[in-house]
Amino acid sequence: MIVVRVVAGVALLAWVWLALFHGGFWRTDQRLGPRRTPARWPSVGIVVPARDEADVLPRTLPSLLGQVYPGPARVVLVDDGSSDDTAALAERLAHHYGGLPLTVTSPGPVPLGWTGKLHAVAHGVAAAGPVDYFLLTDADIAHGPGSLVVLVEAAGDRDIVSQMAVLRTRTGWERLVVPAFVYFFAMLYPFRRVNRPGARTAAAAGGCCLVRRKALERAGGIAAIRGAVIDDVALGTAIKRSGGRIWLGLVDHVRSTRAYPTLHSLWQMVSRSAYTQLRHSPLLLAGTVLGLALVFLAPPALTVAGAFLRDGLTCAAAAVAWLLMALTFVPILRYYRQPVTAALLLPATATLYLLMTVDSAVQHWRGRGAAWKGRSYPN
């Protein structure tokens, strides 16, 4: 009984600390505020790495080509060894929609030590030339009208302005897993700390990331992070460590069109990089599993157990911990326009993430590692 009470008490203290002292990770208030029209509109190269993206380009590339921008801007789509007609389709879309000029190029074979995506990004950055900014955006991201103007106006003295695209939540599995994905990301990298110049926490959202060219060069260019699987976090970290100012927040007008309609597809999305996030460390894996179990699984389990054992102290402590957990999840659920009652299901979703993380480690130990569209990392 004493052990159960101690676990319930520790879980409650953990949630009090997370809710009050962990950078306000659960808030959704990090949005682009007042913007300033620049005296001279800087030049921008929009770099889009694309591998087998023919299914999403008709919904995303026109949103980039159609950006109305007062300064010089161009789109560079890097066909990263696609087996479909990604390159030809991009050319047809540019011919049909017009707008910003489009260059379609191919980076060739991936060198040893590089991830395929970052090799493509580096090639696109080189092809874009000596522009003032690069907008690094994924092929599945659709930008609302004026997105580029908003980013540039918000840049100011920032070296990265990164917006986390709204992910798709159409199916039941997407509604269960996707908001929690953003919640857990913010727990790892509280946006307020990321945006604080003196804080060590650094991250970015690879789907929409405006980067100052001089800051990227000062950080060593894309080559400095060439082997990173979680490339957006690596980029934000490299820029911040080299003295740059970075900003990361939420947005409504930049959306991912990537569909993850089944549990299997979502499982692959999370597990392909989960163990990489833990630096392939069994010790960090064990700590993560124990931490998830204590923080997310113990509160509901001990609430029920305390009620069954008629242990009011255990039941009350665990129930308050569960309530705090749910309350911190509510802002993200509202952001994704999901019912707030779904916050009570966060322990179930956390269990899925725990299993995905363990599976990611198991796949690594079996020599399979991370993979995406037929390519294993780091290549």
Side-chain angles (χ1 to χ4, degrees), residues 177-257:
V177 174
V178 165
F181 177 83
V182 179
Y183 175 87
F184 291 138
F185 183 88
M187 181 177 279
L188 286 172
Y189 309 101
F191 291 3
R192 289 185 172 191
R193 290 182 181 172
V194 169
N195 299 341
R196 193 181 308 150
R200 296 181 60 185
T201 306
C208 177
C209 194
L210 185 74
V211 185
R212 193 187 305 272
R213 178 178 60 84
K214 290 183 178 179
L216 181 61
E217 292 174 349
R218 186 174 62 241
I222 299 298
I225 59 169
R226 58 187 175 273
V229 174
I230 308 175
D231 52 90
D232 45 8
V233 173
L235 177 61
T237 301
I239 296 291
K240 196 169 191 179
R241 284 181 178 174
S242 63
R245 283 197 61 187
I246 67 176
W247 187 91
L248 170 64
L250 299 173
V251 67
D252 295 317
H253 61 273
V254 178
R255 295 180 172 270
S256 172
T257 63

Side-chain angles (χ1 to χ4, degrees), residues 4 41-42 72 99 126 167 176 198 202 224 244 248 267 270 292 315 341-342 347 352 377:
V4 172
W41 287 94
L167 305 177
L176 178 67
L248 170 64
W267 192 291
V270 174
L292 285 171
C315 185
T341 52
L352 286 176
Y377 296 120

Side-chain angles (χ1 to χ4, degrees), residues 37-275:
T37 300
R40 178 188 67 85
W41 287 94
S43 56
V44 182
I46 304 173
V47 178
V48 185
R51 179 175 172 85
D52 294 338
E53 299 288 11
D55 58 332
V56 300
L57 283 183
R59 302 193 299 275
T60 60
L61 187 57
S63 74
L64 289 172
L65 298 172
Q67 292 293 312
V68 177
Y69 181 69
R74 59 185 295 211
V75 180
V76 179
L77 185 136
V78 185
D79 180 23
D80 183 19
S82 298
S83 59
D84 60 12
D85 65 339
T86 288
L89 176 60
E91 297 278 13
R92 292 197 299 270
L93 289 170
H95 178 75
H96 179 74
Y97 287 98
L100 296 182
L102 172 71
T103 298
V104 178
T105 183
S106 177
V110 181
L112 185 65
W114 285 75
T115 64
K117 178 183 176 182
L118 286 175
H119 181 234
V121 171
H123 183 80
V125 163
V131 294
D132 297 307
Y133 287 93
F134 301 106
L135 173 56
L136 309 181
T137 184
D138 291 341
D140 65 313
I141 301 298
H143 290 253
S147 175
L148 182 56
V149 168
V150 167
L151 286 166
V152 171
E153 286 183 337
D157 61 350
R158 295 162 173 157
D159 295 301
I160 289 183
V161 178
S162 182
Q163 297 179 305
M164 179 165 283
V166 180
L167 305 177
R168 208 184 86 137
T169 52
R170 294 183 185 176
T171 69
W173 285 115
E174 287 173 335
R175 289 191 289 271
L176 178 67
V177 174
V178 165
F181 177 83
V182 179
Y183 175 87
F184 291 138
F185 183 88
M187 181 177 279
L188 286 172
Y189 309 101
F191 291 3
R192 289 185 172 191
R193 290 182 181 172
V194 169
N195 299 341
R196 193 181 308 150
R200 296 181 60 185
T201 306
C208 177
C209 194
L210 185 74
V211 185
R212 193 187 305 272
R213 178 178 60 84
K214 290 183 178 179
L216 181 61
E217 292 174 349
R218 186 174 62 241
I222 299 298
I225 59 169
R226 58 187 175 273
V229 174
I230 308 175
D231 52 90
D232 45 8
V233 173
L235 177 61
T237 301
I239 296 291
K240 196 169 191 179
R241 284 181 178 174
S242 63
R245 283 197 61 187
I246 67 176
W247 187 91
L248 170 64
L250 299 173
V251 67
D252 295 317
H253 61 273
V254 178
R255 295 180 172 270
S256 172
T257 63
R258 182 81 63 197
Y260 295 100
T262 64
L263 177 59
H264 176 70
S265 59
L266 287 161
W267 192 291
Q268 286 186 315
M269 183 265 289
V270 174
S271 66
R272 72 170 180 255
S273 61
Y275 196 44

